[in-house]
Amino acid sequence: MKYNITDMTHTQFSNWLMPMVDCPLFESRERLVALLAKNADRAALETELREFYEDYCGLAFELEAPEESLLSILRGSDRFAPLQRRVAIVESARKTSPAGRIARRMSDKPLLTDPQPEIKVSALSDEGFRALMETCANWGLFAARERIVKLQKVSPSDAAAEQLKSEFLDFFVYYLELEQFFEDYDYNPDEGLELRPEVAERLEQSVAEVEAGTAELIPIEEVAKKLGLKW
């Protein structure tokens, strides 16, 4: 499916943007900033990182479908040359496959066929962990989102629509850079959490059904299709 944002009016484009610029990630980021400002302990930061990462995955799912169309728009105009250079850097540094990126969002685990992350978040020193949180909180994605929100409120016009689209493409490239940044980190938001007994029992039952060959398995391609994702 093509996402032809070039033909959208200011109002149409602003409405289309809402799931991406009004997602929970931005509330999580504000909480993270507040925690860093009051020098919160690692346990509090780890709790918020769990929310931040899950919400980042939510944004990733929103941007998965239009990604190729947005990249095509960026590559189609010389006025986006600075963004093209940033995308080229991301693509040259990427270690994971498209399927691997989807799998990691869905299961928090990279594919075995992809290079494995080198930095285990849980093994970082307190200083290193805080530095990671500060990097996440200060990512350019958040300033770009603030510019978009302001432009959504201006009087609709062709010029405003073009400026809004340009700012969104900058936001999109910041997202690609954040995605590539996370590739180096081995992070499971569920690590250290205890399963409720009934959930653990159901998981054990599911594993037993798979091993016995009685489970009804759904191909990952079908799961991706139901979620509206490319595979």
Side-chain angles (χ1 to χ4, degrees):
M1 178 179 178
K2 287 189 175 296
Y3 292 80
N4 190 8
I5 67 171
T6 56
D7 292 337
M8 292 183 187
T9 66
H10 182 278
T11 300
Q12 290 171 333
F13 187 61
S14 181
N15 290 337
W16 182 79
L17 285 176
M18 290 307 294
M20 288 159 273
V21 299
D22 203 29
C23 70
L25 174 63
F26 303 103
E27 296 175 5
S28 177
R29 185 260 182 173
E30 290 305 309
R31 294 193 299 269
L32 181 57
V33 168
L35 288 170
L36 289 167
K38 67 178 185 180
N39 201 28
D41 63 19
R42 178 162 181 163
L45 291 174
E46 286 178 339
T47 297
E48 194 53 53
L49 173 60
R50 187 176 298 118
E51 295 294 326
F52 183 96
Y53 187 80
E54 294 286 2
D55 293 338
Y56 147 76
C57 288
L59 174 63
F61 280 124
E62 292 290 346
L63 285 167
E64 181 68 37
E67 180 171 321
E68 285 304 318
S69 293
L70 296 174
L71 287 172
S72 178
I73 291 169
L74 282 174
R75 291 165 178 151
S77 174
D78 290 341
R79 70 190 180 101
F80 296 127
L83 296 181
Q84 292 170 7
R85 288 192 288 271
R86 288 167 57 191
V87 170
I89 291 172
V90 168
E91 293 178 336
S92 65
R94 270 179 175 166
K95 303 177 182 69
T96 56
S97 62
R101 293 194 289 276
I102 293 174
R104 190 170 182 186
R105 292 169 200 151
M106 296 177 71
S107 66
D108 304 316
K109 296 179 181 178
L111 293 179
L112 293 177
T113 51
D114 281 343
Q116 303 302 294
E118 298 177 358
I119 305 170
K120 190 169 181 62
V121 172
S122 61
L124 290 172
S125 66
D126 289 348
E127 182 180 354
F129 183 79
R130 184 179 178 87
L132 173 62
M133 295 301 90
E134 289 175 345
T135 297
C136 290
N138 290 303
W139 206 265
L141 179 83
F142 302 107
R145 186 257 183 179
E146 290 304 311
R147 293 192 294 271
I148 288 172
V149 170
K150 289 180 181 178
L151 286 169
Q152 286 179 304
K153 298 175 182 177
V154 304
S155 299
S157 68
D158 290 344
E162 288 306 305
Q163 187 176 2
L164 181 59
K165 291 168 188 176
S166 293
E167 288 292 353
F168 172 69
L169 290 172
D170 186 44
F171 170 95
F172 169 66
V173 174
Y174 274 121
Y175 152 73
L176 294 178
E177 291 167 336
L178 181 60
E179 179 186 55
Q180 191 275 317
F181 173 77
F182 276 139
E183 279 190 343
D184 290 333
Y185 289 86
D186 180 0
Y187 176 65
N188 180 355
D190 295 329
E191 186 175 354
L193 298 180
E194 293 186 8
L195 288 177
R196 296 196 307 273
E198 63 271 22
V199 176
E201 182 181 352
R202 178 58 189 146
L203 284 173
E204 290 176 1
Q205 181 182 344
S206 296
V207 171
E209 289 173 353
V210 171
E211 292 176 344
T214 59
E216 181 181 355
L217 300 179
I218 302 175
I220 193 169
E221 293 87 351
E222 185 176 334
V223 174
K225 183 178 180 180
K226 287 182 178 180
L227 293 173
L229 305 176
K230 293 179 297 182
W231 188 259

